[in-house]
Amino acid sequence: MQTVIVDPQFGTYQSNLFDTFTRLLAGFAISVVVGTIVGTAMGLRKDAEAFLRSWIVIGLSVPSIAVAFGLIIALGITEWVPVLTVVIIGVPFVILNMWEGTQDLDPEITEMADFFGASTLQRYRDILLPQVLQYLFPSMYWGLVVSWKVLFVAEVFGAGSGVGYMVSYWFEQQRVDLLLGWIVIPVLLIILAQESLRAAEHRLMQWR
């Protein structure tokens, strides 16, 4: 770890780590937003569920490496390949969890809102959002882990910088020690991010 942190070859350790987590944050954020919207819509609307169900199964079945290779062929080695790979693979996981969670919403609360004439804003803010949050956080846990694994694969084959790129480089040099040195800190940061999400969930869900 000390060697890879101070080695100036192919940029500093900090710059490659920054590139990886910038891509991870972008892909993860897009996956959570799109997955939450689509998954919630599927849980609330039968027509959306019927139309999208098969596409979700297909999305869950496609290997991440196949997506990465396809994007490399289509776009070349660019910054967008790792990010889009994370989005394409991550969105179905978030959708699936939100879809199943939204189906378990309490219908009696919705009936009460109808009876008291709640506005659309009140329905989304005070009824839908608090119930959906309990399914959003588990989606984010798994989405973060999946995003990291997918991003790593995409960087190995389709990026010119980042942790995955450097691991690939040291693999070619047959330096297992330096290869492992590049992985340790990113994994620790992912664990720390997961624990931060758990702390945020505990704080936001205290009302339960």
Side-chain angles (χ1 to χ4, degrees):
M1 287 176 60
Q2 181 181 4
T3 300
V4 298
I5 289 173
V6 300
D7 189 354
Q9 193 172 20
F10 295 101
T12 64
Y13 185 86
Q14 290 80 6
S15 67
N16 281 286
L17 201 65
F18 177 80
D19 289 346
T20 291
F21 278 87
T22 299
R23 296 165 184 154
L24 178 63
L25 179 61
F28 174 66
I30 295 172
S31 298
V32 170
V33 172
V34 174
T36 300
I37 293 173
V38 176
T40 304
M42 289 178 66
L44 297 177
R45 297 180 60 89
K46 294 299 182 183
D47 53 347
E49 177 183 355
F51 177 74
L52 294 170
R53 184 190 300 113
S54 298
W55 293 104
I56 301 305
V57 175
I58 293 173
L60 292 170
S61 304
V62 176
S64 58
I65 193 170
V67 174
F69 282 159
L71 290 173
I72 292 171
I73 294 171
L75 304 177
I77 297 178
T78 69
E79 288 292 319
W80 285 104
V81 168
V83 175
L84 290 176
T85 304
V86 170
V87 172
I88 292 172
I89 298 297
V91 164
F93 283 92
V94 179
I95 289 176
L96 179 64
N97 203 33
M98 296 304 299
W99 170 29
E100 293 178 348
T102 308
Q103 291 177 323
D104 293 332
L105 297 180
D106 190 348
E108 293 185 354
I109 300 179
T110 304
E111 292 176 7
M112 182 180 67
D114 293 335
F115 180 81
F116 285 102
S119 66
T120 302
L121 177 61
Q122 288 175 319
R123 291 172 184 271
Y124 282 103
R125 182 189 62 197
D126 301 324
I127 298 176
L128 181 61
L129 181 60
Q131 294 186 84
V132 165
L133 277 178
Q134 61 185 320
Y135 304 105
L136 176 60
F137 277 99
S139 299
M140 293 173 70
Y141 302 148
W142 289 109
L144 181 62
V145 173
V146 170
S147 296
W148 156 246
K149 293 181 178 180
V150 169
L151 178 66
F152 182 83
V153 172
E155 284 188 341
V156 167
F157 296 103
S161 64
V163 174
Y165 171 78
M166 295 305 300
V167 166
S168 176
Y169 172 79
W170 290 118
F171 171 77
E172 292 174 356
Q173 305 303 315
Q174 298 185 358
R175 291 295 303 272
V176 179
D177 54 339
L178 300 183
L179 182 155
L180 294 176
W182 270 94
I183 294 176
V184 174
I185 290 180
V187 169
L188 293 176
L189 290 175
I190 293 296
I191 295 173
L192 180 62
Q194 276 198 310
E195 293 304 314
S196 299
L197 285 174
R198 293 185 188 279
E201 179 187 23
H202 178 73
R203 183 179 182 84
L204 289 174
M205 301 302 293
Q206 284 182 340
W207 63 270
R208 297 183 65 190

